[in-house]
Amino acid sequence: MHSTLLRRWAGLGAVLCLSLIALDTLAQTPAAAPTNLIERGRYLATAGDCIACHTAPGGAAMAGGLAIATPLGAIYSTNITPSQTMGIGHYTLEQFTAALRHGRRADGAHLYPAMPYTAYAKVTDEDMAALYAYFMQGVKPVDSAPPATALPFPFNIRGSMAAWNTLFHDPTPFRGSAQQPPEWNRGAYLVQGLAHCSTCHTPRNTFMAENMKRALGGGEVGPWHAPNISSDPQSGIGQWSAEELVRYLRQGHGPEKTQPPAPWPRRWTTA
């Protein structure tokens, strides 16, 4: 009888243990998001061109591993698929938002500003939620680890980014202007936020922060030049029509405006 009771208690303990594991798994799994929210996130991720930097040649989409040459050394893009072990599948919405808005990983470590969180900070809370839904439920998980970024001393001290952020980072989401029409505000939201145009097209100072006094005035990114896309009528695109700008963005060339483009290199990305 004594052995029978022990077996029953052992069986009950096993059931309880399995139940706790199941509950913990459910707690870590995001609730199914509405299809329209996932599709909204897909649209936003496309606007942010996330796949360009987080996909290595011949590699799986969003699985990272692309090496980007910077003045400080090679930076490898990270796995941003919902893999629980190698990607961001264990991120909560709050941790996901902290990475995009404050440049902080789930483990609390700082990201390098080569990942344009300085621009992604402008994304609204609603669009953050849509992006999160897409990455967690609209992207295929890939269990592969890209090479680790190893910058030389002292740039390998990620804690120093706290001081850099204090000096150069504004985590405030986008605020529209009541003096401008909806189309202007929508364009400003995309340019300043997800499209992160300033990341490449604004020159940087000695500390690798954007010189906003010359915003969109052209910058040097690694071995190539990002041209002036400000409204300056001579050196910028101030004389372009809306149709010419749309054609250039869609087709990569503008008759009588630009030369046929060379193969467009990938931008800097997260570490």
Side-chain angles (χ1 to χ4, degrees), residues 8-109:
R8 288 179 178 176
W9 278 109
L12 181 60
V15 171
L16 180 59
C17 182
L18 290 172
S19 299
L20 290 174
I21 292 173
L23 287 173
D24 182 64
T25 301
L26 288 173
Q28 295 178 18
T29 304
T35 301
N36 63 332
L37 187 64
I38 296 174
E39 289 306 308
R40 171 70 178 172
R42 186 190 308 275
Y43 163 80
L44 294 168
T46 301
D49 205 14
C50 304
I51 196 170
C53 290
H54 288 276
T55 304
M62 306 289 189
L66 180 70
I68 296 92
T70 79
L72 307 180
I75 291 180
Y76 290 91
S77 61
T78 53
N79 184 332
I80 56 171
T81 74
S83 167
Q84 290 284 339
T85 55
M86 301 297 179
I88 60 172
H90 61 288
Y91 275 51
T92 64
L93 173 59
E94 290 73 21
Q95 291 169 331
F96 180 84
T97 301
L100 267 68
R101 186 166 289 158
H102 302 285
R104 297 294 294 272
R105 298 189 319 208
D107 63 2

Side-chain angles (χ1 to χ4, degrees), residues 11 14 24 42 70 75 95 109 132 134 141 148-149 152 155 213 226-227 241-242 244 252 254-255 268:
D24 182 64
R42 186 190 308 275
T70 79
I75 291 180
Q95 291 169 331
Y132 180 75
Y134 168 65
T149 295
F155 306 112
K213 292 181 179 179
S241 67
E244 289 169 333
W268 295 4

